[in-house]
Amino acid sequence: MSTDDCLIHLDGLSLPASIGIYAHEKAAPQPVDIDLRLAIDGTLAARSDDIRHTVDYDEVVDAIAALLASRHFNLLEHLSQAVLDLLGERFPVRRAEVTIAKPLAVPRARRVSVSRRAEWKREAMKVVAV
């Protein structure tokens, strides 16, 4: 983590998803729980107090919800990569880690989850004195 990094935690997001390989999983959406860690350049947001200099959490949630609603996913591994791809394409994140869990996947387990992470090269935002 560099000195200008800001680590944003978004924990416990619960959204419906069509996910799984079994017929009963394909028949109806089921909940998935999502935890995100987003590393951004926090230099400007820390000084400006302006939402344009950070990641809008509501936009992140809306984008992930739209992704989940757009199609069926067989595997958590694939869904986690799709979420990372979305984050890297749409938001100014340097690094992201996503954990996606299916609480109903295995009856004798509290949940099954997959975690993945990615990193993107982003140009640092500059603080300009006015």
Side-chain angles (χ1 to χ4, degrees):
M1 191 159 150
S2 73
T3 58
D4 54 352
D5 272 358
C6 177
L7 190 57
I8 298 169
H9 300 250
L10 198 151
D11 294 323
L13 179 61
S14 184
L15 295 169
S18 178
I19 185 162
I21 59 171
Y22 299 110
H24 70 276
E25 292 177 308
K26 292 178 179 182
Q30 62 183 297
V32 293
D33 297 332
I34 302 172
D35 294 334
L36 296 175
R37 302 289 177 270
L38 307 175
I40 65 162
D41 180 340
T43 306
L44 284 177
R47 297 188 184 286
S48 71
D49 203 22
D50 189 328
I51 189 69
R52 294 174 298 168
H53 298 146
T54 189
V55 173
D56 185 320
Y57 322 134
D58 287 326
E59 287 182 14
V60 170
V61 171
D62 290 346
I64 292 172
L67 173 67
L68 293 174
S70 72
R71 60 176 282 242
H72 176 82
F73 294 89
N74 287 328
L75 303 174
L76 282 172
E77 293 83 350
H78 182 69
L79 175 56
S80 63
Q81 186 61 52
V83 170
L84 288 173
D85 292 343
L86 170 77
L87 293 170
E89 291 166 7
R90 300 241 339 244
F91 300 96
V93 295
R94 290 179 170 178
R95 288 180 310 284
E97 181 175 335
V98 60
T99 299
I100 303 178
K102 288 172 50 177
L104 306 177
V106 177
R108 291 177 286 192
R110 191 172 64 240
R111 64 187 205 152
V112 172
S113 65
V114 167
S115 295
R116 294 188 41 83
R117 68 181 94 169
E119 186 170 336
W120 300 270
K121 298 294 179 200
R122 306 272 192 222
E123 187 174 317
M125 298 180 89
K126 308 271 188 261
V127 176
V128 180
V130 203

